[in-house]
Amino acid sequence: DARVTQTPRHKVTEMGQEVTMRCQPILGHNTVFWYRQTMMQGLELLAYFRNRAPLDDSGMPKDRFSAEMPDATLATLKIQPSEPRDSAVYFCASGLVPIGQDIYEQYFGPGTRLTVT
Amino acid sequence: EDQVTQSPEALRLQEGESSSLNCSYTVSGLRGLFWYRQDPGKGPEFLFTLYSAGEEKEKERLKATLTKKESFLHITAPKPEDSATYLCAVRLRGFQKLVFGTGTRLLVSP
């Protein structure tokens, strides 16, 4: 049963600390997304990668957030320094874009619940 | 501005009481409408993709339909295990990202 995995599942940290969240996409998927979910804003796209290359990170605060894909099996989202307003659930999703098509489903991981105090 | 609106925000049903959830959209160039189910503390779970007006898809007690302006998720004879938040999302032409609605929280009582 192929699934997206995320670590940690929960993170509590103090304001100003660095936070790193990790995601392992479904094996063989070539597109990875980072979303943030809050009660007020719902699900918002932060960034996404195709074949490990960043394609769009316009939803991400550039001064403190960074996203990378060191290899095809690992995506990371880093916040430095963290702030209380970053408290949210962060989801990673992955998908496989078939050759010659551009429509595909995204499969979500269980999320990382971040609390910044 | 591209917008996705879901209604109602919350819906309470008795077991067996069929109903529909609505997702209306005002977007320029739809390239797919997606329905997801989200249980508390979990990530969204993919249900359906609809590509063009008139299309319908079914899965167990769920049936999704699409028109040019909205989509409906029909729930027939729901059971308590259908309780969850149902999210719809649209993908716009030329973009890879999904724009999500805020969801409908469904509670089915036995």
Side-chain angles (χ1 to χ4, degrees):
Chain A
D1 186 20
R3 298 188 183 195
V4 175
T5 58
Q6 291 185 246
T7 57
R9 293 295 314 279
H10 303 273
K11 177 73 176 179
V12 180
T13 191
E14 292 183 348
M15 181 173 63
Q17 296 298 306
E18 178 179 298
V19 175
T20 299
M21 290 168 271
R22 293 176 174 81
C23 166
Q24 182 172 17
I26 293 173
L27 188 65
H29 281 190
N30 60 0
T31 308
V32 174
F33 302 80
W34 282 106
Y35 288 88
R36 175 170 62 185
Q37 187 175 41
T38 62
M39 289 294 293
M40 294 299 296
Q41 301 295 330
L43 265 168
E44 301 174 287
L45 179 69
L46 297 175
Y48 74 92
F49 296 77
R50 172 72 51 81
N51 295 323
R52 297 177 55 199
L55 292 188
D56 185 351
D57 61 1
S58 59
M60 213 161 61
K62 301 290 193 304
D63 56 337
R64 299 183 299 107
F65 284 60
S66 61
E68 295 180 345
M69 274 202 78
D71 61 61
T73 65
L74 177 65
T76 63
L77 180 66
K78 188 174 296 185
I79 307 174
Q80 168 63 24
S82 58
E83 297 181 1
R85 59 179 167 153
D86 300 328
S87 297
V89 181
Y90 291 81
F91 288 104
C92 173
S94 72
L96 173 63
V97 184
I99 295 174
Q101 299 182 35
D102 66 350
I103 299 177
Y104 55 94
E105 293 84 33
Q106 296 180 21
Y107 295 89
F108 283 75
T112 294
R113 181 175 295 276
L114 174 65
T115 303
V116 183
T117 60
Chain B
E1 181 185 346
D2 299 316
Q3 201 163 12
V4 180
T5 304
Q6 290 189 248
S7 62
E9 286 189 15
L11 180 63
R12 188 164 189 156
L13 299 174
Q14 290 294 120
E15 184 171 3
E17 179 186 2
S18 302
S19 187
S20 295
L21 313 182
N22 178 263
C23 171
S24 63
Y25 57 93
T26 52
V27 299
S28 51
L30 181 72
R31 287 289 286 160
L33 186 141
F34 301 78
W35 281 99
Y36 284 84
R37 168 191 171 131
Q38 187 173 23
D39 292 293
K42 296 189 177 181
E45 175 189 345
F46 170 75
L47 292 174
F48 303 109
T49 308
L50 301 167
Y51 298 116
S52 56
E55 188 174 2
E56 299 182 351
K57 289 194 176 173
E58 290 187 64
K59 180 180 180 180
E60 297 181 355
R61 295 177 292 281
L62 300 177
K63 179 180 177 180
T65 62
L66 181 65
T67 72
K68 288 186 177 180
K69 293 185 177 181
E70 58 191 349
S71 176
F72 291 94
L73 184 65
H74 308 277
I75 303 178
T76 302
K79 298 181 178 181
E81 53 260 44
D82 295 323
S83 298
T85 294
Y86 290 85
L87 299 164
C88 79
V90 299
R91 182 166 163 260
L92 310 178
R93 184 182 301 131
F95 295 90
Q96 296 295 333
K97 71 177 186 179
L98 296 181
V99 177
F100 279 85
T102 52
T104 293
R105 294 189 314 277
L106 174 66
L107 178 63
V108 182
S109 303

